[in-house]
Amino acid sequence: MTIISQTLDAFDDIFPTDMAPRLFQAPGRVNLIGEHTDYNAGYVLPAAIDRQIFVAATARKDSRINIYAHNFNQWDRFGIQNDLEKLSGNPCGNYFRGIVWALLQQGSELCGMDAVVSGNIPIGAGLSSSAAIEVAVGFTLLQLSGSEISLKDLALAAQKAENDFVGMRCGIMDQYIACLGQADHALLIDCRDLSYQNLPLPFEASVVIVDSGVHRGLMDMEYNSRREDCEKAARHFGVSVLRDVSMEAFRERAHAISAVVQRRAHHVISENNRTLAAADALRARDLSAFGELMIASHASLRDDFEVSCPELDRLVEMALDVEGVYGARLTGAGFGGCMVALVKKEAVDDLTETIETNYGSVAGRQASIYICRASAGVSEIEIEN
Ligand code: GLA
C-alpha cells in the first residue's frame, strides 16, 4: 500500500464523515551547498526531495483542530486561539500549534479542521521533516479556509513557528524550499531579500543522501550557540550580519576576536563565496568544479564551524574514494544526520555497495541510503476515485 492510500485510509477510519478529504503534500529537502549561511543573510542552494509529509483533511464548521499524527500514533486537539499552549512530550503537536499560531499572528483567518498527518521523511535525520510538517499543515489550513497568502509568506510563517513557538532559531532555508522547490532543480536563494533562481540539476548526475544514523538530542542547543557566535563576529565587524563581511575585511580585522569566533566567521564568509561559485558551476554544467566546492564545504564545516562528527567524516571519505563521485559533504545543520553526494549516474551502484559493505564496520551503525529526485514544493494532490 502506498503512503498516500495509508493516509487516506487512516482518515476514513478515524473521521467517519460523508465529506471526502482533500490531500496535500510538502517535501523534505537536501542542501547541496551553503550551510549555516541562511541566518547570516547569505546564500543557500537546496533542492526539495521526493520524501514528503502528507495531510488528508476536511474543514470543520467550528474552530477546533483535531490532528492525528499517524507515524507517532499521537493526537493533538486544540481550539484556534492566539494564546496556544506549548506541549511537552508531543513534538509533532508543537509544529501543528506553532504554524496555527504563526498564521494567526500574520492575520490569516482560519477554519477548524480534522486531519491525518503522515510521511516518509526520516525524522531527526536533518532532511527537514519539521519544516515540511509546518508547511504542509499551514498550506492545508489556508486552502480549507479559503485564505490566501503567498508561498513566501507561508515560509516566513513556518519559520516564525519554529523560532518563536518551538524555540529553534533556524534560518529560512528549510521552510522556503518546502514551499518553492521545483522538480529537477535546485534553488539558489539569497536569504537577505528572499530572491531566488531555479537551477536545473544535470541529468547525468544523481543526488545520493546517506543517513549516518547519528541523531543528536542536543542539536538545538548547539545550533543556537553557533548562531550566537556568528552574531558576536558580526558585532565585531560592525555589521548586523556576516554576509556583509568580505574575506579581505576578515583577514585584516579578525585577529582581535577569539579563535573560536574567528573560525565560525571564516566558515560563513567562505561558504557564501563557495555557494555562489557552485551556482556558477551548475550553470556551466561543470560538475567536477561543483564537487570540489562540496568537498571544501565539508572541510570548513568540520574544522571551522565544528558541526561534523566522526561518522559523517567517514561517510564523506568513503564516498570520495569511489570513482565517479564528484563531491560529498554533510548536509543540514550537522551534529549527525546526513551526507549528500553528487555522483555520476553509472557510479551510484558502486557508491551504495561501498557504503553498505564498509560503514557498519567502521561506525558500528546502519546507514540508510536514498537516491533522491529533486521535487516540487508544497501542493494539493488530486485524489483519484
Ligand atoms: C537547519 C536550519 C536551517 C539552516 C541549516 C544549516 O536545517 O533549519 O535554517 O540553518 O540547519 O544550514
Side-chain angles (χ1 to χ4, degrees):
M1 206 195 291
T2 66
I3 179 144
I4 290 188
S5 41
Q6 265 171 28
T7 314
L8 292 170
D9 283 0
F11 185 92
D12 285 345
D13 287 350
I14 294 170
F15 300 110
T17 145
D18 293 339
M19 244 208 296
R22 289 168 70 184
L23 184 69
F24 302 87
Q25 69 80 32
R29 67 98 186 89
V30 63
N31 190 17
L32 297 178
I33 194 161
E35 219 65 84
H36 291 277
T37 45
D38 60 351
Y39 54 82
N40 291 293
Y43 300 96
V44 292
L45 189 57
I49 58 174
D50 48 351
R51 294 266 169 162
Q52 293 136 298
I53 295 294
F54 297 92
V55 185
T58 49
R60 291 177 60 92
K61 294 209 170 65
D62 59 16
S63 59
R64 300 292 307 163
I65 302 241
N66 300 314
I67 309 188
Y68 177 69
H70 192 242
N71 301 57
F72 297 97
N73 188 17
Q74 213 162 35
W75 276 98
D76 193 20
R77 300 181 173 92
F78 54 96
I80 297 179
Q81 60 194 53
N82 279 308
D83 54 349
L84 275 170
E85 249 176 69
K86 218 173 137 173
L87 299 167
S88 56
N90 182 345
C92 245
N94 283 330
Y95 297 125
F96 304 152
R97 288 169 181 230
I99 187 63
V100 170
W101 172 83
L103 287 172
L104 290 177
Q105 299 275 309
Q106 265 190 358
S108 296
E109 303 254 335
L110 303 175
C111 64
M113 74 170 175
D114 291 329
V116 169
V117 173
S118 68
N120 56 10
I121 307 173
I123 306 284
L127 298 177
S128 290
S129 52
S130 58
I133 294 174
E134 291 149 2
V135 167
V137 169
F139 189 77
T140 303
L141 255 178
L142 290 164
Q143 293 291 315
L144 295 180
S145 310
S147 286
E148 286 212 0
I149 64 172
S150 67
L151 289 175
K152 252 185 209 175
D153 285 341
L154 174 57
L156 287 167
Q159 184 196 16
K160 187 174 175 59
E162 187 106 19
N163 287 175
D164 299 339
F165 195 87
V166 177
M168 158 82 171
R169 297 183 64 211
C170 66
I172 188 67
M173 169 170 70
D174 306 345
Q175 292 78 9
Y176 205 75
I177 188 73
C179 285
L180 286 147
Q182 199 189 322
D184 301 321
H185 288 69
L187 232 67
L188 174 67
I189 307 168
D190 178 336
C191 298
R192 165 132 57 203
D193 62 9
L194 296 188
S195 59
Y196 64 91
Q197 278 172 42
N198 281 306
L199 301 178
L201 286 170
F203 170 76
E204 62 276 24
S206 292
V207 175
V208 178
I209 299 173
V210 182
D211 181 357
S212 66
V214 180
H215 299 172
R216 288 258 164 83
L218 291 176
M219 210 289 263
D220 291 13
M221 237 174 63
E222 290 283 351
Y223 182 95
N224 289 347
S225 109
R226 292 302 182 282
R227 199 168 164 157
E228 281 160 22
D229 288 344
C230 293
E231 288 162 359
K232 256 186 226 157
R235 275 197 299 276
H236 168 78
F237 288 101
V239 293
S240 58
V241 279
L242 280 179
R243 152 85 172 262
D244 293 325
V245 181
S246 66
M247 198 48 100
E248 293 68 39
F250 174 82
R251 288 203 184 102
E252 271 165 31
R253 296 183 42 211
H255 55 272
I257 29 175
S258 76
V260 170
V261 175
Q262 263 186 51
R263 289 203 297 277
R264 306 295 186 250
H266 187 259
H267 165 72
V268 173
I269 298 164
S270 60
E271 184 78 350
N272 271 329
N273 293 342
R274 280 188 290 273
T275 306
L276 291 176
D280 283 343
L282 208 52
R283 288 186 195 101
R285 302 182 83 80
D286 184 347
L287 299 187
S288 304
F290 193 96
E292 288 304 320
L293 291 158
M294 291 175 86
I295 297 168
S297 167
H298 184 79
S300 175
L301 288 160
R302 184 191 59 210
D303 303 336
D304 279 349
F305 219 63
E306 295 175 283
V307 293
S308 189
C309 62
E311 292 84 349
L312 283 170
D313 294 342
R314 281 300 289 136
L315 279 175
V316 168
E317 282 163 22
M318 268 178 214
L320 295 180
D321 276 347
V322 175
E323 176 83 39
V325 170
Y326 295 108
R329 56 183 286 280
L330 75 81
T331 183
F335 317 104
C338 291
M339 171 193 85
V340 58
L342 189 69
V343 187
K344 252 187 204 145
K345 280 234 154 73
E346 312 81 84
V348 169
D349 288 349
D350 279 356
L351 174 63
T352 310
E353 211 183 298
T354 303
I355 286 167
E356 277 169 353
T357 317
N358 299 321
Y359 182 67
S361 59
V362 296
R365 296 175 187 270
Q366 185 74 30
S368 313
I369 303 176
Y370 312 102
I371 323 283
C372 81
R373 163 130 202 247
S375 301
V378 66
S379 63
E380 179 161 10
I381 301 174
E382 291 302 320
I383 302 175
E384 288 162 21
N385 290 311

